Tab-separated table of all heavy atoms in Angstrom:
chain	number	residue	atom	x	y	z
A	243	GLU	N	-10.199	-15.890	18.790
A	243	GLU	CA	-9.409	-14.727	18.938
A	243	GLU	C	-8.366	-14.458	18.011
A	243	GLU	O	-8.042	-13.328	17.594
A	243	GLU	CB	-8.827	-14.822	20.462
A	243	GLU	CG	-9.985	-14.665	21.529
A	243	GLU	CD	-9.481	-14.892	22.924
A	243	GLU	OE1	-8.221	-15.270	22.977
A	243	GLU	OE2	-10.161	-14.634	23.843
A	244	THR	N	-7.707	-15.556	17.554
A	244	THR	CA	-6.616	-15.483	16.598
A	244	THR	C	-7.276	-15.045	15.154
A	244	THR	O	-6.655	-14.074	14.583
A	244	THR	CB	-5.972	-16.832	16.384
A	244	THR	OG1	-5.123	-17.099	17.485
A	244	THR	CG2	-4.933	-16.747	15.142
A	245	LEU	N	-8.296	-15.561	14.820
A	245	LEU	CA	-9.055	-15.201	13.609
A	245	LEU	C	-9.483	-13.733	13.595
A	245	LEU	O	-9.295	-13.038	12.655
A	245	LEU	CB	-10.267	-16.036	13.344
A	245	LEU	CG	-9.876	-17.508	12.982
A	245	LEU	CD1	-11.253	-18.378	12.883
A	245	LEU	CD2	-9.045	-17.647	11.734
A	246	LYS	N	-9.906	-13.210	14.731
A	246	LYS	CA	-10.193	-11.759	14.919
A	246	LYS	C	-8.984	-10.960	14.847
A	246	LYS	O	-8.934	-9.937	14.133
A	246	LYS	CB	-10.936	-11.657	16.145
A	246	LYS	CG	-11.340	-10.141	16.496
A	246	LYS	CD	-11.970	-9.950	17.851
A	246	LYS	CE	-12.517	-8.588	18.168
A	246	LYS	NZ	-13.094	-8.416	19.431
A	247	TRP	N	-7.962	-11.434	15.490
A	247	TRP	CA	-6.641	-10.645	15.399
A	247	TRP	C	-6.193	-10.576	14.028
A	247	TRP	O	-5.730	-9.511	13.459
A	247	TRP	CB	-5.544	-11.334	16.233
A	247	TRP	CG	-4.295	-10.755	16.227
A	247	TRP	CD1	-3.890	-9.558	16.787
A	247	TRP	CD2	-3.185	-11.239	15.585
A	247	TRP	NE1	-2.540	-9.331	16.650
A	247	TRP	CE2	-2.021	-10.442	15.817
A	247	TRP	CE3	-2.923	-12.414	14.804
A	247	TRP	CZ2	-0.732	-10.655	15.254
A	247	TRP	CZ3	-1.599	-12.680	14.306
A	247	TRP	CH2	-0.605	-11.821	14.503
A	248	ARG	N	-6.108	-11.780	13.285
A	248	ARG	CA	-5.599	-11.734	11.908
A	248	ARG	C	-6.478	-10.852	10.924
A	248	ARG	O	-5.926	-10.324	10.106
A	248	ARG	CB	-5.576	-13.187	11.426
A	248	ARG	CG	-4.515	-14.069	12.085
A	248	ARG	CD	-4.502	-15.443	11.504
A	248	ARG	NE	-3.785	-15.346	10.252
A	248	ARG	CZ	-2.484	-15.360	9.996
A	248	ARG	NH1	-1.640	-15.580	10.990
A	248	ARG	NH2	-2.030	-15.264	8.771
A	249	SER	N	-7.715	-10.755	11.222
A	249	SER	CA	-8.592	-9.938	10.408
A	249	SER	C	-8.396	-8.475	10.534
A	249	SER	O	-8.580	-7.731	9.479
A	249	SER	CB	-10.089	-10.244	10.670
A	249	SER	OG	-10.567	-9.703	11.935
A	250	THR	N	-7.758	-8.088	11.618
A	250	THR	CA	-7.482	-6.623	11.843
A	250	THR	C	-5.962	-6.309	11.634
A	250	THR	O	-5.611	-5.366	11.061
A	250	THR	CB	-7.985	-6.205	13.263
A	250	THR	OG1	-7.397	-7.065	14.234
A	250	THR	CG2	-9.427	-6.180	13.385
A	251	TYR	N	-5.101	-7.221	12.141
A	251	TYR	CA	-3.751	-7.026	12.143
A	251	TYR	C	-3.143	-7.331	10.722
A	251	TYR	O	-2.243	-6.691	10.199
A	251	TYR	CB	-3.018	-7.802	13.205
A	251	TYR	CG	-1.575	-7.333	13.405
A	251	TYR	CD1	-1.336	-6.342	14.257
A	251	TYR	CD2	-0.508	-8.010	12.912
A	251	TYR	CE1	-0.045	-5.896	14.531
A	251	TYR	CE2	0.801	-7.583	13.180
A	251	TYR	CZ	0.999	-6.509	13.986
A	251	TYR	OH	2.313	-6.092	14.242
A	252	LYS	N	-3.812	-8.259	10.065
A	252	LYS	CA	-3.489	-8.699	8.660
A	252	LYS	C	-1.937	-9.029	8.539
A	252	LYS	O	-1.205	-8.523	7.614
A	252	LYS	CB	-4.008	-7.592	7.702
A	252	LYS	CG	-5.383	-7.335	7.693
A	252	LYS	CD	-5.693	-6.318	6.600
A	252	LYS	CE	-7.251	-5.910	6.678
A	252	LYS	NZ	-8.037	-7.057	6.536
A	253	PRO	N	-1.493	-10.017	9.266
A	253	PRO	CA	0.014	-10.393	9.267
A	253	PRO	C	0.390	-10.841	7.873
A	253	PRO	O	1.542	-10.599	7.486
A	253	PRO	CB	0.095	-11.339	10.349
A	253	PRO	CG	-1.310	-12.026	10.528
A	253	PRO	CD	-2.236	-10.856	10.206
A	254	GLU	N	-0.504	-11.449	7.179
A	254	GLU	CA	-0.127	-12.109	5.899
A	254	GLU	C	0.024	-10.915	4.885
A	254	GLU	O	0.474	-11.198	3.732
A	254	GLU	CB	-1.182	-13.176	5.434
A	254	GLU	CG	-2.518	-12.479	4.988
A	254	GLU	CD	-3.377	-12.181	6.081
A	254	GLU	OE1	-2.996	-12.317	7.287
A	254	GLU	OE2	-4.612	-11.910	5.783
A	255	GLU	N	-0.362	-9.780	5.161
A	255	GLU	CA	-0.208	-8.659	4.126
A	255	GLU	C	0.946	-7.649	4.482
A	255	GLU	O	1.254	-6.707	3.708
A	255	GLU	CB	-1.435	-7.724	4.158
A	255	GLU	CG	-2.826	-8.655	3.581
A	255	GLU	CD	-3.904	-7.609	3.386
A	255	GLU	OE1	-3.793	-6.341	3.388
A	255	GLU	OE2	-5.018	-8.132	3.315
A	256	ILE	N	1.649	-7.969	5.558
A	256	ILE	CA	2.822	-7.188	5.835
A	256	ILE	C	3.868	-7.498	4.690
A	256	ILE	O	4.129	-8.590	4.382
A	256	ILE	CB	3.455	-7.474	7.239
A	256	ILE	CG1	2.332	-7.307	8.321
A	256	ILE	CG2	4.567	-6.652	7.500
A	256	ILE	CD1	2.844	-7.735	9.627
A	257	ARG	N	4.554	-6.548	4.178
A	257	ARG	CA	5.583	-6.613	3.268
A	257	ARG	C	6.864	-6.088	3.783
A	257	ARG	O	6.954	-5.248	4.584
A	257	ARG	CB	5.183	-5.821	2.004
A	257	ARG	CG	4.027	-6.402	1.208
A	257	ARG	CD	4.343	-7.822	0.653
A	257	ARG	NE	3.078	-8.551	0.125
A	257	ARG	CZ	2.471	-9.331	0.883
A	257	ARG	NH1	2.671	-9.574	2.144
A	257	ARG	NH2	1.364	-9.981	0.283
A	258	TRP	N	7.885	-6.755	3.162
A	258	TRP	CA	9.288	-6.438	3.751
A	258	TRP	C	9.656	-4.925	3.678
A	258	TRP	O	10.270	-4.452	4.663
A	258	TRP	CB	10.376	-7.281	2.927
A	258	TRP	CG	11.755	-6.955	3.338
A	258	TRP	CD1	12.687	-6.227	2.625
A	258	TRP	CD2	12.347	-7.207	4.661
A	258	TRP	NE1	13.920	-6.122	3.299
A	258	TRP	CE2	13.688	-6.618	4.584
A	258	TRP	CE3	11.915	-7.820	5.757
A	258	TRP	CZ2	14.520	-6.737	5.675
A	258	TRP	CZ3	12.773	-7.939	6.874
A	258	TRP	CH2	14.095	-7.445	6.725
A	259	HIS	N	9.270	-4.188	2.632
A	259	HIS	CA	9.555	-2.836	2.462
A	259	HIS	C	9.003	-2.045	3.746
A	259	HIS	O	9.480	-1.003	4.101
A	259	HIS	CB	9.218	-2.247	1.297
A	259	HIS	CG	7.726	-2.013	1.147
A	259	HIS	ND1	6.809	-2.909	0.714
A	259	HIS	CD2	7.028	-0.876	1.272
A	259	HIS	CE1	5.618	-2.384	0.656
A	259	HIS	NE2	5.702	-1.128	1.025
A	260	GLU	N	7.931	-2.556	4.286
A	260	GLU	CA	7.345	-1.831	5.499
A	260	GLU	C	8.069	-2.028	6.773
A	260	GLU	O	8.072	-1.233	7.710
A	260	GLU	CB	5.887	-2.502	5.671
A	260	GLU	CG	4.962	-2.175	4.507
A	260	GLU	CD	3.648	-2.918	4.758
A	260	GLU	OE1	3.073	-2.863	5.800
A	260	GLU	OE2	3.151	-3.663	3.923
A	261	VAL	N	8.911	-3.119	6.820
A	261	VAL	CA	9.668	-3.421	8.071
A	261	VAL	C	11.145	-3.487	7.946
A	261	VAL	O	11.853	-3.762	8.821
A	261	VAL	CB	9.058	-4.764	8.731
A	261	VAL	CG1	7.575	-4.593	9.067
A	261	VAL	CG2	9.229	-5.901	7.799
A	262	ALA	N	11.531	-3.305	6.682
A	262	ALA	CA	12.967	-3.423	6.366
A	262	ALA	C	13.905	-2.581	7.308
A	262	ALA	O	14.947	-3.076	7.618
A	262	ALA	CB	13.251	-3.135	4.931
A	263	HIS	N	13.512	-1.377	7.607
A	263	HIS	CA	14.293	-0.537	8.611
A	263	HIS	C	14.536	-1.240	9.903
A	263	HIS	O	15.569	-0.914	10.470
A	263	HIS	CB	13.600	0.843	8.686
A	263	HIS	CG	12.280	0.716	9.385
A	263	HIS	ND1	11.133	0.375	8.800
A	263	HIS	CD2	11.895	1.098	10.653
A	263	HIS	CE1	10.117	0.377	9.613
A	263	HIS	NE2	10.553	0.835	10.833
A	264	GLU	N	13.603	-2.017	10.255
A	264	GLU	CA	13.718	-2.682	11.581
A	264	GLU	C	14.845	-3.768	11.500
A	264	GLU	O	15.442	-4.200	12.502
A	264	GLU	CB	12.506	-3.262	12.102
A	264	GLU	CG	11.385	-2.378	12.473
A	264	GLU	CD	11.559	-1.819	13.838
A	264	GLU	OE1	12.447	-2.255	14.611
A	264	GLU	OE2	10.935	-0.803	14.181
A	265	GLY	N	15.021	-4.320	10.302
A	265	GLY	CA	15.974	-5.336	10.088
A	265	GLY	C	17.367	-4.941	9.541
A	265	GLY	O	18.166	-5.831	9.318
A	266	GLU	N	17.606	-3.765	9.628
A	266	GLU	CA	18.907	-3.225	9.033
A	266	GLU	C	20.156	-3.855	9.739
A	266	GLU	O	21.145	-4.028	9.056
A	266	GLU	CB	19.053	-1.701	9.018
A	266	GLU	CG	18.039	-1.105	7.973
A	266	GLU	CD	18.058	0.497	8.057
A	266	GLU	OE1	18.741	1.018	8.953
A	266	GLU	OE2	17.448	1.161	7.152
A	267	THR	N	19.995	-4.037	10.980
A	267	THR	CA	21.237	-4.600	11.647
A	267	THR	C	21.249	-6.142	11.892
A	267	THR	O	22.137	-6.691	12.511
A	267	THR	CB	21.224	-3.979	13.196
A	267	THR	OG1	20.022	-4.335	13.814
A	267	THR	CG2	21.383	-2.516	13.153
A	268	GLY	N	20.140	-6.718	11.364
A	268	GLY	CA	20.066	-8.189	11.468
A	268	GLY	C	19.647	-8.710	12.850
A	268	GLY	O	20.045	-9.758	13.251
A	269	LYS	N	18.865	-7.916	13.631
A	269	LYS	CA	18.536	-8.173	14.969
A	269	LYS	C	17.553	-9.462	14.928
A	269	LYS	O	17.627	-10.184	15.907
A	269	LYS	CB	17.784	-7.098	15.761
A	269	LYS	CG	16.541	-6.655	15.144
A	269	LYS	CD	16.050	-5.379	15.780
A	269	LYS	CE	14.768	-4.771	15.194
A	269	LYS	NZ	14.312	-3.518	15.783
A	270	VAL	N	16.907	-9.632	13.901
A	270	VAL	CA	16.090	-10.797	13.655
A	270	VAL	C	16.048	-11.201	12.234
A	270	VAL	O	15.922	-10.334	11.388
A	270	VAL	CB	14.614	-10.744	14.107
A	270	VAL	CG1	13.869	-11.999	13.997
A	270	VAL	CG2	14.453	-10.164	15.518
A	271	SER	N	16.449	-12.428	11.897
A	271	SER	CA	16.481	-12.831	10.533
A	271	SER	C	16.250	-14.259	10.450
A	271	SER	O	16.315	-15.097	11.289
A	271	SER	CB	17.869	-12.412	9.921
A	271	SER	OG	18.886	-13.183	10.534
A	272	LYS	N	15.876	-14.769	9.143
A	272	LYS	CA	15.720	-16.163	8.957
A	272	LYS	C	17.107	-16.724	8.595
A	272	LYS	O	17.751	-16.143	7.639
A	272	LYS	CB	14.797	-16.396	7.778
A	272	LYS	CG	14.386	-17.858	7.505
A	272	LYS	CD	13.274	-17.975	6.428
A	272	LYS	CE	13.859	-17.433	5.055
A	272	LYS	NZ	12.843	-17.679	4.052
A	273	ALA	N	17.474	-17.817	9.196
A	273	ALA	CA	18.795	-18.401	8.963
A	273	ALA	C	18.852	-19.172	7.571
A	273	ALA	O	17.809	-19.482	7.146
A	273	ALA	CB	19.085	-19.458	9.993
A	274	ASN	N	20.057	-19.213	6.966
A	274	ASN	CA	20.196	-19.854	5.669
A	274	ASN	C	20.588	-21.395	6.003
A	274	ASN	O	21.021	-22.052	5.058
A	274	ASN	CB	21.361	-19.270	4.938
A	274	ASN	CG	22.671	-19.262	5.642
A	274	ASN	OD1	22.811	-19.781	6.790
A	274	ASN	ND2	23.736	-18.810	4.965
A	275	PHE	N	20.259	-21.919	7.181
A	275	PHE	CA	20.354	-23.260	7.450
A	275	PHE	C	19.271	-23.754	8.182
A	275	PHE	O	18.331	-22.898	8.723
A	275	PHE	CB	21.616	-23.631	8.324
A	275	PHE	CG	21.709	-22.781	9.626
A	275	PHE	CD1	21.246	-23.418	10.744
A	275	PHE	CD2	22.180	-21.552	9.727
A	275	PHE	CE1	21.278	-22.730	11.998
A	275	PHE	CE2	22.157	-20.873	10.963
A	275	PHE	CZ	21.773	-21.540	12.052
């Protein structure tokens, strides 16, 4: 089911410029620690 989901959703192909507007406030981010 995951392989099927990944073949259609293609999470590895998402690029930052596509989702950057969602992260403008820092609601989710990768920590520097």
Side-chain angles (χ1 to χ4, degrees):
E243 288 174 353
T244 291
L245 293 176
K246 181 180 179 181
W247 174 76
R248 293 185 70 89
S249 71
T250 55
Y251 198 80
K252 301 184 185 299
E254 73 279 6
E255 292 189 18
I256 303 173
R257 292 293 172 266
W258 176 248
H259 75 277
E260 301 173 46
V261 296
H263 63 286
E264 291 285 347
E266 288 179 354
T267 59
K269 64 185 177 187
V270 185
S271 62
K272 184 176 66 175
N274 61 358
F275 61 92

